Amino acid sequence: MTAVAEVQQDWVPSTRTLLIGDTDASPQGETWDVYNPATEDVLATVGGASSSQVDAAVAAARKAFPAWAALSGAERSKYLHRFADVLEKAADRLLPSIVNEVGCPVSLASYLQVKMAVDEHLRWAAEAAKTDRTIHLGEYDKPVPTMSDVVHQPVGVVAAITGYNYPLNLAIFKFGAALAAGCTVVLLPSPRTPLTTLFLGDLIKEAGLPPGVMNVIVGGADVGQQLSSHPGVDRVSFTGSDGVGAKIMEQAAANLAGVTLELGGKSPSIVLEGVDVEKIAVEMHLRWARNGGQGCAALARLLVHDSVYDQFLEAGASAFDQMVVGDPWDPATNIGPMIRPDHQARVNGFVDGAIDDGGRKLLEVTKPLPEKGWFVNPVLLGDLPHSARAVQQEIFGPVAVIVPFKDTEEAIRLANDTAYGLAANVWCDDPIEARRVAEQVRAGTVWINGGGAMRPDAPFGGYGRSGVGRELGEWGMKEYLEVKHIQWRI
């Protein structure tokens, strides 16, 4: 264990109460245990919101909306920067919260789960709040001369429902843009990882956000259903599986509320002919396996040209030698546990099913797993048809599949041969050819030769079953803005 692990003892939220309007509300709904997936220990027993508390949270957001929307963008920006200041100061408490309830290795969590979310994404939203988005259309002379402006106004109350794998990031992606746009928020985390979000409730008060602007509740599927179908909610933003996303879309439709859905993927990483695979194989494998493969944009479908296929497998063996599965607080660990035993069983079921389908384990980590914790050793599966379940469905664990192809057009066809379209990567030495392929792959984000970090000013979202709408950047802001045309005679 390292010095950073010393802060583990100070990681549980100071309260486990809900934040509704200007009050800390004691949960009145069902209770459940929250576990540390690396140790199987119970971290806390949490109580969810009752039906009346869901109503109260929406009512508080509705009440706060007019005054928050009436603030200038510069005033909202000050609030958001102040909130970011508070989160930065609380980083040493947020980090252990995330490591312990998600199982994300501290080596990854310190930047990707905390620093990036606050320093880059929340700060960007705070600055974006200042932007004047009015469009002056100018004069139109039929049948009489007129002038027009197009203005953007906040949609209203947003239900922000987040996934378990990146609890702080996913929350900030949603409430950062929503608050910057002038909306108010009811935030509902995954019931598997509610503690970091409950901690946010304390920090919201510390930052001095006006009461009701941002409310925090927790609960299971019943609370999520009530919130997403609530007549007082104007937009639902959800991150999770495509199956649950479809249900949320149906529930929101009862009130014709808008939806923003980020629903995962089966993202390809395409290695074209001529690429020096010795330089990229390790990076590719460590990328899809990070956070235990529990990432919606994990590039876990490897499409590799025939001419470099064998060489790629040989080069990738060293990546598996570098994969350390175990204690998330050990700085040497880069693969943490699955979130729950049922998910561990699901991931192992994909591997077993692939073997039953005639596939093989081409590369794997074979070291003994810790005696406690819901761990899975990373595996690369091969010799499967592209129609196989393990190739087509999101596994959400440290399992990748590799599929060879004969030429670039086949690679593009295989890349698009899936119901998802969230992300992709194209490895190619020719920048013109790489760009041509990138433009033909149906995915919301396409990296070339590894790309870079997720940009706060660029859109994130996908095609097909990967979701509806976009988060981040101006595209994410517009999810929370209505468009109004104002026209007058001159």
Side-chain angles (χ1 to χ4, degrees), residues 421-463:
L422 184 60
N425 206 331
V426 178
W427 297 92
C428 181
D429 292 337
D430 181 347
I432 295 176
E433 177 68 356
R435 181 59 181 258
R436 182 186 77 84
V437 174
E439 292 189 356
Q440 292 191 56
V441 174
R442 291 180 55 78
T445 298
V446 182
W447 294 286
I448 293 176
N449 294 334
M454 180 179 288
R455 294 180 56 147
D457 59 345
F460 183 71
Y463 292 34

Short mmCIF file of all heavy atoms in Angstrom, two decimals, residues 421-463:
data_model
loop_
_atom_site.label_atom_id
_atom_site.label_comp_id
_atom_site.label_asym_id
_atom_site.label_seq_id
_atom_site.Cartn_x
_atom_site.Cartn_y
_atom_site.Cartn_z
N GLY A 421 -22.16 2.30 -32.35
CA GLY A 421 -21.32 3.21 -33.10
C GLY A 421 -20.83 4.35 -32.23
O GLY A 421 -21.04 5.51 -32.55
N LEU A 422 -20.18 4.01 -31.11
CA LEU A 422 -19.75 5.05 -30.19
C LEU A 422 -18.36 5.60 -30.55
O LEU A 422 -18.18 6.80 -30.67
CB LEU A 422 -19.74 4.53 -28.75
CG LEU A 422 -19.40 5.57 -27.68
CD1 LEU A 422 -20.39 6.71 -27.69
CD2 LEU A 422 -19.33 4.93 -26.30
N ALA A 423 -17.39 4.70 -30.71
CA ALA A 423 -16.02 5.16 -30.95
C ALA A 423 -15.31 4.16 -31.85
O ALA A 423 -15.79 3.04 -32.07
CB ALA A 423 -15.27 5.32 -29.64
N ALA A 424 -14.16 4.59 -32.36
CA ALA A 424 -13.32 3.72 -33.19
C ALA A 424 -11.92 4.30 -33.21
O ALA A 424 -11.71 5.48 -32.87
CB ALA A 424 -13.87 3.61 -34.61
N ASN A 425 -10.98 3.47 -33.61
CA ASN A 425 -9.59 3.91 -33.78
C ASN A 425 -9.08 3.37 -35.10
O ASN A 425 -9.37 2.21 -35.44
CB ASN A 425 -8.73 3.41 -32.62
CG ASN A 425 -7.52 4.29 -32.37
OD1 ASN A 425 -7.02 4.93 -33.28
ND2 ASN A 425 -7.05 4.33 -31.13
N VAL A 426 -8.36 4.18 -35.83
CA VAL A 426 -7.77 3.76 -37.11
C VAL A 426 -6.26 3.94 -37.00
O VAL A 426 -5.77 5.05 -36.77
CB VAL A 426 -8.32 4.59 -38.29
CG1 VAL A 426 -7.64 4.16 -39.59
CG2 VAL A 426 -9.82 4.45 -38.40
N TRP A 427 -5.54 2.84 -37.16
CA TRP A 427 -4.08 2.89 -37.16
C TRP A 427 -3.60 2.77 -38.60
O TRP A 427 -3.86 1.79 -39.27
CB TRP A 427 -3.51 1.74 -36.32
CG TRP A 427 -3.92 1.83 -34.87
CD1 TRP A 427 -5.01 1.25 -34.30
CD2 TRP A 427 -3.24 2.51 -33.83
NE1 TRP A 427 -5.06 1.56 -32.96
CE2 TRP A 427 -3.98 2.33 -32.64
CE3 TRP A 427 -2.06 3.29 -33.78
CZ2 TRP A 427 -3.58 2.87 -31.42
CZ3 TRP A 427 -1.67 3.83 -32.56
CH2 TRP A 427 -2.42 3.62 -31.40
N CYS A 428 -2.91 3.81 -39.06
CA CYS A 428 -2.50 3.85 -40.47
C CYS A 428 -1.35 4.84 -40.62
O CYS A 428 -1.38 5.93 -40.03
CB CYS A 428 -3.69 4.28 -41.34
SG CYS A 428 -3.34 4.36 -43.10
N ASP A 429 -0.35 4.48 -41.43
CA ASP A 429 0.80 5.36 -41.64
C ASP A 429 0.53 6.46 -42.66
O ASP A 429 1.26 7.45 -42.71
CB ASP A 429 2.00 4.54 -42.11
CG ASP A 429 2.53 3.62 -41.03
OD1 ASP A 429 2.28 3.90 -39.84
OD2 ASP A 429 3.17 2.60 -41.37
N ASP A 430 -0.50 6.29 -43.47
CA ASP A 430 -0.84 7.28 -44.51
C ASP A 430 -1.96 8.17 -43.98
O ASP A 430 -3.10 7.72 -43.81
CB ASP A 430 -1.30 6.54 -45.77
CG ASP A 430 -1.66 7.49 -46.90
OD1 ASP A 430 -1.79 8.71 -46.65
OD2 ASP A 430 -1.83 7.01 -48.03
N PRO A 431 -1.69 9.45 -43.70
CA PRO A 431 -2.72 10.31 -43.10
C PRO A 431 -3.95 10.51 -43.99
O PRO A 431 -5.07 10.64 -43.48
CB PRO A 431 -1.99 11.64 -42.86
CG PRO A 431 -0.78 11.60 -43.73
CD PRO A 431 -0.41 10.17 -43.85
N ILE A 432 -3.75 10.51 -45.30
CA ILE A 432 -4.89 10.69 -46.20
C ILE A 432 -5.79 9.46 -46.17
O ILE A 432 -7.03 9.55 -46.08
CB ILE A 432 -4.40 10.97 -47.64
CG1 ILE A 432 -3.64 12.32 -47.67
CG2 ILE A 432 -5.58 10.99 -48.61
CD1 ILE A 432 -3.04 12.64 -49.03
N GLU A 433 -5.17 8.28 -46.22
CA GLU A 433 -5.95 7.04 -46.15
C GLU A 433 -6.62 6.89 -44.78
O GLU A 433 -7.77 6.45 -44.68
CB GLU A 433 -5.05 5.85 -46.44
CG GLU A 433 -5.73 4.49 -46.33
CD GLU A 433 -6.77 4.22 -47.41
OE1 GLU A 433 -7.05 5.12 -48.23
OE2 GLU A 433 -7.31 3.09 -47.43
N ALA A 434 -5.90 7.26 -43.72
CA ALA A 434 -6.48 7.17 -42.38
C ALA A 434 -7.72 8.04 -42.27
O ALA A 434 -8.75 7.62 -41.70
CB ALA A 434 -5.44 7.59 -41.34
N ARG A 435 -7.66 9.25 -42.81
CA ARG A 435 -8.81 10.14 -42.77
C ARG A 435 -9.96 9.58 -43.60
O ARG A 435 -11.14 9.68 -43.21
CB ARG A 435 -8.41 11.54 -43.28
CG ARG A 435 -9.53 12.58 -43.25
CD ARG A 435 -10.09 12.78 -41.84
NE ARG A 435 -11.16 13.76 -41.86
CZ ARG A 435 -11.00 15.03 -41.46
NH1 ARG A 435 -9.82 15.47 -41.05
NH2 ARG A 435 -12.02 15.87 -41.51
N ARG A 436 -9.66 9.00 -44.75
CA ARG A 436 -10.72 8.40 -45.59
C ARG A 436 -11.44 7.30 -44.83
O ARG A 436 -12.68 7.23 -44.84
CB ARG A 436 -10.11 7.84 -46.88
CG ARG A 436 -11.14 7.25 -47.83
CD ARG A 436 -10.48 6.57 -49.03
NE ARG A 436 -9.93 5.27 -48.70
CZ ARG A 436 -10.65 4.14 -48.69
NH1 ARG A 436 -11.95 4.17 -48.98
NH2 ARG A 436 -10.08 2.98 -48.38
N VAL A 437 -10.68 6.43 -44.19
CA VAL A 437 -11.29 5.35 -43.43
C VAL A 437 -12.09 5.91 -42.25
O VAL A 437 -13.22 5.48 -41.99
CB VAL A 437 -10.21 4.36 -42.95
CG1 VAL A 437 -10.83 3.31 -42.03
CG2 VAL A 437 -9.54 3.69 -44.15
N ALA A 438 -11.52 6.88 -41.54
CA ALA A 438 -12.20 7.46 -40.38
C ALA A 438 -13.56 8.03 -40.76
O ALA A 438 -14.54 7.91 -40.01
CB ALA A 438 -11.33 8.54 -39.75
N GLU A 439 -13.64 8.64 -41.92
CA GLU A 439 -14.90 9.25 -42.34
C GLU A 439 -15.94 8.21 -42.75
O GLU A 439 -17.13 8.50 -42.76
CB GLU A 439 -14.65 10.25 -43.46
CG GLU A 439 -13.87 11.47 -42.99
CD GLU A 439 -13.79 12.58 -44.03
OE1 GLU A 439 -14.29 12.37 -45.16
OE2 GLU A 439 -13.22 13.64 -43.72
N GLN A 440 -15.51 7.00 -43.07
CA GLN A 440 -16.46 5.96 -43.46
C GLN A 440 -16.91 5.08 -42.30
O GLN A 440 -17.87 4.32 -42.44
CB GLN A 440 -15.84 5.09 -44.56
CG GLN A 440 -15.65 5.84 -45.88
CD GLN A 440 -15.31 4.90 -47.01
OE1 GLN A 440 -16.03 3.94 -47.29
NE2 GLN A 440 -14.19 5.15 -47.67
N VAL A 441 -16.22 5.16 -41.17
CA VAL A 441 -16.62 4.38 -40.00
C VAL A 441 -17.76 5.11 -39.29
O VAL A 441 -17.66 6.30 -39.02
CB VAL A 441 -15.43 4.19 -39.05
CG1 VAL A 441 -15.89 3.51 -37.75
CG2 VAL A 441 -14.35 3.35 -39.71
N ARG A 442 -18.84 4.38 -39.03
CA ARG A 442 -20.02 4.98 -38.41
C ARG A 442 -19.86 4.96 -36.88
O ARG A 442 -20.27 4.01 -36.21
CB ARG A 442 -21.29 4.24 -38.84
CG ARG A 442 -21.62 4.47 -40.33
CD ARG A 442 -22.87 3.74 -40.73
NE ARG A 442 -24.03 4.07 -39.91
CZ ARG A 442 -24.76 5.19 -40.02
NH1 ARG A 442 -24.44 6.09 -40.94
NH2 ARG A 442 -25.80 5.39 -39.24
N ALA A 443 -19.24 6.02 -36.37
CA ALA A 443 -19.04 6.16 -34.94
C ALA A 443 -18.97 7.64 -34.60
O ALA A 443 -18.54 8.46 -35.42
CB ALA A 443 -17.75 5.46 -34.50
N GLY A 444 -19.39 7.96 -33.38
CA GLY A 444 -19.43 9.36 -32.96
C GLY A 444 -18.06 9.97 -32.74
O GLY A 444 -17.88 11.18 -32.87
N THR A 445 -17.09 9.16 -32.38
CA THR A 445 -15.70 9.60 -32.21
C THR A 445 -14.80 8.60 -32.92
O THR A 445 -14.91 7.39 -32.69
CB THR A 445 -15.31 9.67 -30.73
OG1 THR A 445 -16.12 10.64 -30.06
CG2 THR A 445 -13.85 10.07 -30.58
N VAL A 446 -13.91 9.10 -33.77
CA VAL A 446 -12.92 8.23 -34.42
C VAL A 446 -11.55 8.84 -34.17
O VAL A 446 -11.28 9.97 -34.56
CB VAL A 446 -13.17 8.10 -35.93
CG1 VAL A 446 -12.13 7.16 -36.54
CG2 VAL A 446 -14.58 7.58 -36.21
N TRP A 447 -10.71 8.07 -33.49
CA TRP A 447 -9.33 8.48 -33.27
C TRP A 447 -8.46 7.92 -34.38
O TRP A 447 -8.74 6.85 -34.92
CB TRP A 447 -8.83 7.96 -31.93
CG TRP A 447 -9.51 8.54 -30.74
CD1 TRP A 447 -9.37 9.80 -30.23
CD2 TRP A 447 -10.46 7.89 -29.88
NE1 TRP A 447 -10.16 9.97 -29.12
CE2 TRP A 447 -10.85 8.82 -28.89
CE3 TRP A 447 -11.03 6.61 -29.86
CZ2 TRP A 447 -11.76 8.51 -27.88
CZ3 TRP A 447 -11.95 6.30 -28.87
CH2 TRP A 447 -12.30 7.24 -27.89
N ILE A 448 -7.42 8.65 -34.73
CA ILE A 448 -6.43 8.19 -35.70
C ILE A 448 -5.10 8.03 -34.97
O ILE A 448 -4.64 8.95 -34.29
CB ILE A 448 -6.30 9.16 -36.89
CG1 ILE A 448 -7.60 9.16 -37.71
CG2 ILE A 448 -5.11 8.79 -37.77
CD1 ILE A 448 -7.61 10.16 -38.85
N ASN A 449 -4.54 6.83 -35.08
CA ASN A 449 -3.26 6.51 -34.44
C ASN A 449 -3.26 6.82 -32.95
O ASN A 449 -2.32 7.40 -32.40
CB ASN A 449 -2.11 7.23 -35.15
CG ASN A 449 -1.91 6.72 -36.56
OD1 ASN A 449 -2.25 5.58 -36.89
ND2 ASN A 449 -1.38 7.57 -37.44
N GLY A 450 -4.35 6.46 -32.31
CA GLY A 450 -4.43 6.61 -30.85
C GLY A 450 -5.11 7.86 -30.38
O GLY A 450 -5.55 7.94 -29.23
N GLY A 451 -5.21 8.87 -31.26
CA GLY A 451 -5.89 10.10 -30.87
C GLY A 451 -5.29 10.71 -29.63
O GLY A 451 -4.07 10.80 -29.49
N GLY A 452 -6.15 11.12 -28.70
CA GLY A 452 -5.68 11.75 -27.47
C GLY A 452 -6.75 11.67 -26.40
O GLY A 452 -7.67 10.86 -26.48
N ALA A 453 -6.63 12.53 -25.40
CA ALA A 453 -7.58 12.54 -24.30
C ALA A 453 -8.94 13.07 -24.77
O ALA A 453 -9.05 13.78 -25.78
CB ALA A 453 -7.04 13.41 -23.16
N MET A 454 -9.97 12.71 -24.03
CA MET A 454 -11.30 13.22 -24.33
C MET A 454 -11.32 14.74 -24.14
O MET A 454 -11.01 15.25 -23.06
CB MET A 454 -12.33 12.56 -23.40
CG MET A 454 -13.75 13.03 -23.65
SD MET A 454 -14.95 12.20 -22.57
CE MET A 454 -14.96 10.57 -23.28
N ARG A 455 -11.69 15.46 -25.19
CA ARG A 455 -11.69 16.92 -25.13
C ARG A 455 -13.00 17.44 -24.58
O ARG A 455 -14.07 17.00 -25.01
CB ARG A 455 -11.46 17.50 -26.53
CG ARG A 455 -10.11 17.21 -27.12
CD ARG A 455 -9.96 17.82 -28.50
NE ARG A 455 -10.21 19.25 -28.50
CZ ARG A 455 -9.61 20.13 -29.30
NH1 ARG A 455 -8.71 19.70 -30.17
NH2 ARG A 455 -9.91 21.40 -29.26
N PRO A 456 -12.96 18.43 -23.69
CA PRO A 456 -14.20 19.00 -23.17
C PRO A 456 -14.95 19.83 -24.19
O PRO A 456 -16.15 20.09 -24.02
CB PRO A 456 -13.74 19.86 -22.00
CG PRO A 456 -12.32 20.22 -22.32
CD PRO A 456 -11.76 19.02 -23.04
N ASP A 457 -14.27 20.24 -25.28
CA ASP A 457 -14.92 21.07 -26.29
C ASP A 457 -15.33 20.28 -27.52
O ASP A 457 -15.73 20.87 -28.54
CB ASP A 457 -13.98 22.22 -26.71
CG ASP A 457 -12.65 21.72 -27.29
OD1 ASP A 457 -12.33 20.52 -27.11
OD2 ASP A 457 -11.94 22.53 -27.91
N ALA A 458 -15.25 18.95 -27.46
CA ALA A 458 -15.62 18.11 -28.60
C ALA A 458 -16.80 17.23 -28.22
O ALA A 458 -16.92 16.81 -27.07
CB ALA A 458 -14.44 17.25 -29.04
N PRO A 459 -17.69 16.91 -29.17
CA PRO A 459 -18.89 16.12 -28.84
C PRO A 459 -18.55 14.68 -28.55
O PRO A 459 -17.62 14.11 -29.12
CB PRO A 459 -19.74 16.24 -30.11
CG PRO A 459 -18.75 16.45 -31.21
CD PRO A 459 -17.65 17.28 -30.61
N PHE A 460 -19.34 14.07 -27.65
CA PHE A 460 -19.19 12.66 -27.34
C PHE A 460 -20.56 12.01 -27.35
O PHE A 460 -21.48 12.45 -26.66
CB PHE A 460 -18.53 12.47 -25.97
CG PHE A 460 -18.28 11.01 -25.64
CD1 PHE A 460 -17.30 10.30 -26.30
CD2 PHE A 460 -19.04 10.37 -24.68
CE1 PHE A 460 -17.06 8.96 -26.00
CE2 PHE A 460 -18.82 9.04 -24.37
CZ PHE A 460 -17.83 8.33 -25.03
N GLY A 461 -20.70 10.96 -28.14
CA GLY A 461 -21.96 10.25 -28.27
C GLY A 461 -21.85 9.33 -29.46
O GLY A 461 -20.78 9.23 -30.07
N GLY A 462 -22.93 8.64 -29.81
CA GLY A 462 -22.76 7.64 -30.84
C GLY A 462 -23.91 7.45 -31.79
O GLY A 462 -24.97 8.06 -31.66
N TYR A 463 -23.67 6.57 -32.76
CA TYR A 463 -24.66 6.16 -33.75
C TYR A 463 -25.41 4.94 -33.22
O TYR A 463 -24.97 4.24 -32.32
CB TYR A 463 -23.98 5.76 -35.05
CG TYR A 463 -23.30 6.84 -35.86
CD1 TYR A 463 -22.66 7.92 -35.25
CD2 TYR A 463 -23.25 6.76 -37.24
CE1 TYR A 463 -22.02 8.89 -36.01
CE2 TYR A 463 -22.60 7.72 -38.01
CZ TYR A 463 -21.99 8.78 -37.38
OH TYR A 463 -21.35 9.74 -38.12
#
